[in-house]
Amino acid sequence: MAEEQTLSMTEFVSKVVEDNGADRSRLTAILADVQQKYNYLPEQALRDIAEAMEVPLVDIYGVATFYTLFSLVPKGRHVVTVCMGTACHVRNSADLLQELSRELGIEPGQTSRDMSFTLETVNCLGACAMGPVMVVDGKYYGQMTASKVKKVLKPYRAEKVEEEAPSGRLVSAADLEKHRVGVREERYKDSTALALCSGTGCRAAISKEVATALREALRKNDLEDNVILRETGCRGFCERGPILTVKPDNILYQRVSPGDADEIVRETVMNGRVVERLLFEDPETGEKAVHEGEVPFYAKQLRWVLGASAEIDQSEIDDYIGVGGYRALARALFKMQPEQVIDEVDRAGLRGRGGGGFPAASKWRACREARSSDGVKYVLCNADEGDPGAFMDRCLLEGNPHSVLEGMVIGAYAIGANRGFIYVRNEYPLAVEKVTEAIRQAEQKGLLGDDILGSGFSFQVGVSRGGGAFVCGESTALMASIEGRIGEPREKYIHTAVRGLYVRPTNLNNVETWANVPIIINEGPDAYASVGTEGSKGTKIFSLVGKIRNTGLVEVPMGITLREIIYDIGGGVPNGKRFKAVQTGGPSGGCIPESLIDIPVDFDRLYEVGSMMGSGGMIVMDEDTCMVDVARYFLDFLGDESCGKCTPCREGLKHMTSIVDDVTKGRGSKEQLELLRELAEVVKDTSLCGLGQTAANPVLSTMRYFEEEYCEHILEKKCRAGVCKALIQFQIDAEKCTGCGRCAVQCPSNAISGEKKEPHQIDRERCEKCGICYEVCEYDAVVRK
Amino acid sequence: MVNLVIDGQRVDAEEGWTILDAARYYGVEIPTLCHMDGLTPYSACRLCVVEVRRGERSRMVASCSCPVEVGMEVVTKSDRVKKARRMIIELMLATTPNSRTLQCLASEHGVTEVRFRGEDRRCILCGLCIRICDQQMRGGAIGFSQRGVDRTVSLPFHKTPEACRQCGACMYVCPVCELPCPGTLQPGELCNNCLNVVEIDAFPSAK
């Protein structure tokens, strides 16, 4: 490192280019490395990169300004990022941002003058279960409110912040089986094992500290060699994290803290007794659940894809092999012809889990049959999970990366492809780390790379990092991004299966789809297809977030009703509020009202009611959510994320946003609503890619089911949910106010006054409507009208 | 030969032609802004959308990049297409009122009002300048920067790079360099002069 310090910028840049390779596909990685060193991208560095890579400067400038990851101006020492995802939005992230902006004295995107803080927003960090979320220098803070801001920023201002620390080759199917027996013998004996959830959700809820405390407790009792502690991937029940299960009895403890470690080891591990106070207690009945299956959250789920995450350590390929991993790959390679693999996937009825629900086998077949000029074909994994409110792909990659890799190798074998990429969002650092590690391990074991398991089949896979652009989840934009160009979609009149990445036949599926492939090969297509509905087979993972009691990841059989998911698994809407709608399918989806809550969840039904499956975000909204505001939120999001290539999407979104914004401010008119509808239809009809073609859905679906809310905003200048700031007032109910003065102390704009123990008043002129008074009042004396 | 139907007419097109190629060959006019022969198709302005029908199903495609297929039924002037084109012209005029090309298109397609809040951005981001610089002049001097509504055609760091030879090709192809007939207009203003032309009966005796 010391050596690097002395390098000039030009020398450093040429070293980075050399290390990464001067290939265009490495451009985003090179820019990321340079930015890491200088904290931003200096102009000279870009000129040096252009020269070293022999690429026109303007192309590099274009890429550097396209992706939000990169900055051409210096950033502060601490970067504060506020998540603007849907789940966080419905839980009031806008107020949080406003407060941060006030507290730091800078607008989002700016850096404070003393270079200490930069305030940024991000369109979903995938930590939706803990929303609203903010991140300071990579440390996650969940369940944030405006009133907590000061406390969180304090240590960073003082500049004292604790830093968080971040075998042999198998040559045949028989070898793999032998190894599996060995692993089971060693790591899956009938003795005790601890499985601690270490997904991003639980990490924010201090699972790292819990792991350290548990290790220490085991060491004190001389148990470290006998009891295995597994740090597993996300277990879904983020609301109650950190989650710990004790094997072999599968006792489930929730909200475990480091202080519980000694007791767990002493009571449960050593004496087989249950620690009652850590058990899940049903908030309705008060009944305690000892095992996973008894917790209502898990009872109705069918965890085919996510299940294994609970059994394996995130970083151990041997654990995956121990629970039967790579068996499907061996079967495909040695017992099946490629066409047979495609046929089985076809019979299983696997449809793409990334959004469109296109039959996977059809794509595979088209790609297999497509001719490539030099024989090269690509298999890609779309892990650019940009839908705000969805985080299942992140959890799969973090918790069980090998299941995704195994699916990809099987797919590559069926298609006849030898190269591949996993395109991961840069907002998921842990997923990038885990999947990179998994690739290395699989290559070492001979399960990836040249001559896999001695079969003669080779498949190389690399990780490509995204740059913070939602549109890169679109297949052609994703491919452009991997090639190191601006993530701009192109027309798909010639399918990517025929002409995709580097103009070669390319097959792209998303993370969850790939993870389903080994299950189909292992269980057989008929068993797989026995679950689900006519047109949608198997299971689907949803991230259940927003105004719901049990937030987290759930995996359910296709065809389950929304009601079962929301009430039986999710436990309904908290705080006695009324359920209003559920938003599915991300920004391309729509809002489904209460009247349709009994529809079965499958690809086709959701589409019929004006929404879609999408990647599986499910954001629950209650009476405090304003549907016009939700529409404005999605339009804002899409306008921000549109690549700007085609006219209807770029200009149309801008004007749709401005019309809906007018409505939320009480300036809308009936004529404008008609114009909005007309514009929405054209944007849908004429946009170039899927982003634009579906961009009108949130508007059209909220106008379809909640037109009365639009009318109220326009005619009565009223927002019934109390969200649209221009239409609400805060008042203090003199009868309820005890004059405690709490609101007056907390009010950032000094708008509240009053004598001690006398009712207080709010000065309407000064009030910024941040809602802190409403939040902190213990006597419900602050009313929002 | 690819046999297809354009506006009710059976036509034969060469393999590899786009719908636009075929339409132009047979004299069917389709308006375009971001397309130019000799440059790669870009399909961004969306003005060239046409309806492609197949039995009951119908979809909108960009004719400048969609290849012809056997049995395709193309409709270039359906209500759906006309409505879309009018909206696209209106959207463009809201940000770029001072283009003669655009103002003429407005008159031709019957766009008589701009209902959106406007601003004069003087660019429709068709990308012709960027493509001609790169593909024909081998310059690579200009490109797109930023994204979404902030997207602009720009020079790297707003400085003319060495790669620019000042050949002027970018200006030559730009569809918004020429002022409309009445001179400078404000956002929202339309020329529409051609719509006000009174028809003169030049040959009264011929009746």
Side-chain angles (χ1 to χ4, degrees):
Chain A
M1 267 328 209
E3 186 194 339
E4 273 180 28
Q5 297 283 322
T6 58
L7 290 179
S8 74
M9 189 183 284
T10 311
E11 285 165 342
F12 177 74
V13 166
S14 61
K15 187 172 174 298
V16 169
V17 172
E18 203 177 299
D19 290 351
N20 278 288
D23 192 76
R24 184 89 191 237
S25 69
R26 303 299 303 160
L27 182 58
T28 37
I30 290 169
L31 290 174
D33 286 351
V34 172
Q35 172 153 306
Q36 186 154 29
K37 162 101 177 167
Y38 298 105
N39 217 6
Y40 76 113
L41 292 173
E43 181 176 336
Q44 188 54 47
L46 293 197
R47 291 186 185 276
D48 292 339
I49 294 172
E51 199 154 308
M53 295 180 76
E54 294 174 19
V55 171
L57 176 62
V58 72
D59 288 8
I60 299 196
Y61 182 73
V63 169
T65 55
F66 184 85
Y67 297 103
T68 51
L69 167 66
F70 304 120
S71 170
L72 295 182
V73 290
K75 287 192 183 183
R77 285 190 297 283
H78 303 295
V79 179
V80 182
T81 314
V82 182
C83 178
M84 291 281 119
T86 325
C88 293
H89 179 78
V90 300
R91 287 183 174 182
N92 261 335
S93 59
D95 284 346
L96 172 65
L97 182 65
Q98 189 190 333
E99 180 58 16
L100 272 166
S101 167
R102 211 192 49 75
E103 191 60 37
L104 296 171
I106 46 176
E107 293 295 310
Q110 293 181 340
T111 300
S112 60
R113 278 189 157 189
D114 61 355
M115 302 301 287
S116 56
F117 286 96
T118 297
L119 179 60
E120 289 182 342
T121 59
V122 57
N123 287 331
C124 196
L125 289 161
C128 316
M130 310 122 52
V133 182
M134 64 180 263
V135 179
V136 187
D137 300 346
K139 190 172 161 70
Y140 286 70
Y141 294 91
Q143 269 126 22
M144 281 298 299
T145 60
S147 57
K148 288 187 197 164
V149 162
K150 268 202 182 114
K151 205 175 142 205
V152 169
L153 290 180
K154 208 171 165 192
Y156 295 94
R157 289 191 155 137
E159 296 284 337
K160 273 184 218 151
V161 189
E162 280 176 52
E163 286 282 315
E164 260 188 81
S167 69
R169 205 177 156 83
L170 306 172
V171 291
S172 68
D175 223 16
L176 174 67
E177 284 312 311
K178 213 174 112 196
H179 184 68
R180 197 188 321 278
V181 172
V183 171
R184 289 212 68 86
E185 200 49 33
E186 195 187 322
R187 291 183 66 90
Y188 288 91
K189 296 172 289 197
D190 269 349
S191 64
T192 318
L194 300 171
L196 175 72
C197 178
S198 300
T200 299
C202 287
R203 275 187 187 222
I206 58 166
S207 74
K208 271 271 166 216
E209 288 83 345
V210 176
T212 317
L214 280 170
R215 276 214 183 82
E216 178 62 26
L218 289 173
R219 200 185 52 77
K220 267 195 288 193
N221 294 296
D222 279 332
L223 285 167
E224 53 191 326
D225 294 332
N226 300 329
V227 178
I228 292 174
L229 170 65
R230 291 194 171 88
E231 291 183 49
T232 72
C234 181
R235 311 278 284 281
F237 206 7
C238 313
E239 177 77 30
R240 298 280 174 154
I243 300 279
L244 175 79
T245 34
V246 185
K247 312 255 162 189
D249 297 334
N250 269 329
I251 300 163
L252 183 122
Y253 291 140
Q254 40 111 46
R255 291 191 180 149
V256 180
S257 70
D260 301 327
D262 278 328
E263 193 178 348
I264 292 169
V265 170
R266 198 177 57 237
E267 292 295 311
T268 315
V269 176
M270 296 171 76
N271 295 314
R273 285 194 291 263
V274 174
V275 183
E276 289 276 333
R277 66 184 173 84
L278 294 172
L279 294 177
F280 172 82
E281 189 186 301
D282 195 306
E284 306 267 292
T285 59
E287 261 177 64
K288 296 212 169 186
V290 179
H291 306 104
E292 189 179 291
E294 294 153 18
V295 179
F297 178 78
Y298 287 110
K300 276 213 172 177
Q301 294 195 41
L302 182 61
R303 294 171 82 86
W304 275 0
V305 178
L306 287 175
S309 291
E311 311 287 326
I312 61 180
D313 191 290
Q314 305 178 286
S315 318
E316 275 294 339
I317 188 172
D318 278 353
D319 276 10
Y320 183 64
I321 294 173
V323 298
Y326 289 108
R327 184 181 278 154
L329 174 64
R331 180 160 177 255
L333 287 179
F334 297 104
K335 301 227 167 89
M336 296 165 84
Q337 291 302 313
E339 291 83 356
Q340 239 179 311
V341 176
I342 300 182
D343 283 344
E344 291 218 340
V345 172
D346 199 3
R347 265 171 51 212
L350 178 66
R351 292 172 69 170
R353 301 298 200 248
F358 197 79
S362 308
K363 279 212 294 205
W364 291 19
R365 199 167 280 132
C367 194
R368 176 166 184 82
E369 283 162 8
R371 288 211 2 234
S372 165
S373 53
D374 55 0
V376 174
K377 290 183 185 180
Y378 292 96
V379 161
L380 308 180
C381 173
N382 188 347
D384 189 60
E385 186 178 46
D387 278 11
F391 56 101
M392 58 285 298
D393 294 346
R394 173 174 68 68
C395 290
L396 268 173
L397 281 183
E398 286 172 10
N400 196 353
H402 288 289
S403 66
V404 181
L405 284 178
E406 186 180 2
M408 278 182 83
V409 187
I410 295 170
Y413 169 72
I415 288 161
N418 297 103
R419 287 184 209 171
F421 285 99
I422 302 179
Y423 186 87
V424 194
R425 300 177 79 194
N426 200 65
E427 289 87 338
Y428 289 175
L430 189 64
V432 173
E433 182 193 316
K434 292 295 167 206
V435 80
T436 311
E437 195 179 336
I439 290 173
R440 194 183 49 77
Q441 290 176 344
E443 279 171 351
Q444 261 175 10
K445 284 266 187 292
L447 295 161
L448 199 62
D450 290 329
D451 192 17
I452 295 169
L453 285 174
S455 66
F457 175 71
S458 301
F459 181 61
Q460 318 282 350
V461 67
V463 175
S464 182
R465 270 190 293 169
F470 173 73
V471 70
C472 288
E474 199 276 344
S475 59
T476 56
L478 182 144
M479 290 169 201
S481 182
I482 292 180
E483 290 170 15
R485 294 184 286 117
I486 288 178
E488 202 179 80
R490 62 160 178 81
E491 288 286 9
K492 280 193 278 193
Y493 301 127
I494 298 170
H495 295 296
T496 51
V498 177
R499 198 196 285 171
L501 186 67
Y502 297 114
V503 222
R504 304 297 195 289
T506 303
N507 180 72
L508 173 75
N509 282 115
N510 106 314
V511 173
E512 192 185 337
T513 317
W514 287 124
N516 267 285
V517 172
I519 299 170
I520 294 171
I521 304 296
N522 276 331
E523 305 294 323
D526 299 326
Y528 186 89
S530 67
V531 168
T533 61
E534 181 69 37
S536 311
K537 304 295 185 194
T539 63
K540 176 77 193 92
I541 308 175
F542 288 100
S543 55
L544 194 55
V545 292
K547 306 286 186 66
I548 187 132
R549 196 169 273 144
N550 303 328
T551 57
L553 271 197
V554 305
E555 183 178 347
V556 289
M558 294 273 193
I560 192 171
T561 65
L562 281 170
R563 184 185 295 280
E564 285 172 282
I565 298 179
I566 293 165
Y567 286 97
D568 299 346
I569 297 173
V573 178
N575 307 327
K577 299 278 184 182
R578 243 191 87 186
F579 171 81
K580 187 190 262 182
V582 57
Q583 205 279 348
T584 68
S588 310
C591 294
I592 303 168
E594 196 184 4
S595 57
L596 292 170
I597 195 173
D598 286 311
I599 61 164
V601 174
D602 75 5
F603 287 103
D604 310 310
R605 282 297 284 148
L606 288 177
Y607 187 76
E608 275 168 38
V609 299
S611 185
M612 59 190 273
M613 185 75 89
S615 59
M618 201 172 259
I619 297 133
V620 180
M621 298 165 179
D622 68 3
E623 57 188 287
D624 284 345
T625 312
C626 168
M627 300 317 283
V628 185
D629 176 69
V630 166
R632 190 192 56 93
Y633 165 79
F634 280 115
L635 288 171
D636 240 5
F637 175 91
L638 289 164
D640 205 28
E641 294 291 356
S642 160
C643 75
K645 178 175 179 175
C646 74
T647 317
C649 175
R650 180 186 67 238
E651 303 295 330
L653 272 168
K654 183 174 81 185
H655 295 297
M656 282 199 281
T657 313
S658 124
I659 295 172
V660 176
D661 195 50
D662 276 354
V663 175
T664 61
K665 297 214 163 86
R667 296 194 302 241
S669 68
K670 278 266 180 188
E671 293 74 49
Q672 277 203 305
L673 268 199
E674 277 319 301
L675 179 60
L676 179 65
R677 220 186 289 261
E678 195 186 323
L679 180 56
E681 289 296 340
V682 172
V683 172
K684 194 173 169 177
D685 241 9
T686 61
S687 288
L688 194 160
C689 79
L691 187 147
Q693 284 157 12
T694 56
N697 282 357
V699 174
L700 292 173
S701 78
T702 48
M703 280 173 87
R704 174 168 164 192
Y705 297 119
F706 300 95
E707 199 173 356
E708 75 278 5
E709 280 196 39
Y710 279 86
C711 292
E712 264 174 25
H713 280 73
I714 292 170
L715 301 174
E716 298 169 38
K717 313 280 177 224
K718 191 179 121 191
C719 173
R720 63 166 84 169
V723 172
C724 298
K725 293 234 156 107
L727 306 179
I728 55 165
Q729 297 286 354
F730 284 93
Q731 278 172 9
I732 293 176
D733 184 342
E735 303 220 328
K736 286 186 180 164
C737 180
T738 62
C740 70
R742 205 164 163 193
C743 54
V745 174
Q746 297 263 0
C747 178
S749 50
N750 293 326
I752 304 179
S753 57
E755 294 297 317
K756 265 229 167 298
K757 303 207 172 155
E758 292 292 323
H760 283 44
Q761 298 90 34
I762 297 176
D763 181 352
R764 285 196 188 172
E765 295 285 304
R766 301 179 90 159
C767 175
E768 285 173 13
K769 299 174 186 172
C770 67
I772 289 185
C773 52
Y774 183 78
E775 189 194 309
V776 298
C777 181
E778 285 174 0
Y779 307 97
D780 292 333
V782 180
V783 277
R784 200 172 51 187
K785 275 191 187 165
Chain B
M1 275 294 163
V2 180
N3 191 269
L4 72 157
V5 176
I6 300 181
D7 290 344
Q9 200 73 36
R10 290 187 158 277
V11 298
D12 286 326
E14 299 267 347
E15 192 88 37
W17 275 9
T18 62
I19 294 174
L20 183 68
D21 291 333
R24 288 196 169 160
Y25 186 81
Y26 288 101
V28 178
E29 207 181 313
I30 297 175
T32 60
L33 278 170
C34 71
H35 182 81
M36 180 173 274
D37 286 336
L39 302 180
T40 49
Y42 190 54
S43 2
C45 76
R46 315 306 288 176
L47 202 59
C48 71
V49 284
V50 294
E51 211 178 323
V52 170
R53 293 181 187 158
R54 224 176 240 285
E56 290 287 287
R57 287 170 55 195
S58 142
R59 62 190 175 120
M60 301 278 266
V61 302
S63 60
C64 69
S65 53
C66 184
V68 289
E69 278 171 39
V70 177
M72 211 177 215
E73 193 195 329
V74 180
V75 187
T76 68
K77 290 174 186 66
S78 66
D79 284 346
R80 191 172 166 198
V81 171
K82 283 190 209 160
K83 204 175 116 193
R85 275 189 199 145
R86 275 203 293 269
M87 181 63 85
I88 290 164
I89 294 169
E90 190 180 340
L91 285 170
M92 284 180 176
L93 277 168
T95 52
T96 317
N98 287 305
S99 155
R100 180 170 172 166
T101 316
L102 274 183
Q103 292 285 0
C104 289
L105 276 170
S107 296
E108 267 166 53
H109 291 85
V111 176
T112 53
E113 60 170 339
V114 176
R115 293 164 291 176
F116 304 110
R117 246 174 254 151
E119 52 173 332
D120 194 353
R121 296 185 56 163
R122 300 175 188 196
C123 179
I124 54 166
L125 300 165
C126 66
L128 281 177
C129 52
I130 294 171
R131 276 174 291 147
I132 201 152
C133 180
D134 178 44
Q135 297 169 9
Q136 291 294 339
M137 312 317 290
R138 300 271 164 231
I142 45 177
F144 286 118
S145 67
Q146 313 281 1
R147 71 174 188 224
V149 286
D150 296 325
R151 176 178 255 227
T152 48
V153 173
S154 70
L155 299 163
F157 300 100
H158 310 291
K159 294 171 202 159
T160 309
E162 281 169 28
C164 175
R165 299 191 299 274
Q166 315 229 332
C167 68
C170 47
M171 276 154 57
Y172 176 75
V173 295
C174 179
V176 301
C177 276
E178 197 180 352
L179 277 181
C181 308
T184 311
L185 296 174
Q186 293 306 310
E189 272 190 291
L190 288 173
C191 163
N192 277 168
N193 277 351
C194 296
L195 295 181
N196 300 326
V197 175
V198 182
E199 271 186 47
I200 299 170
D201 205 348
F203 302 101
S205 60
K207 270 189 188 163

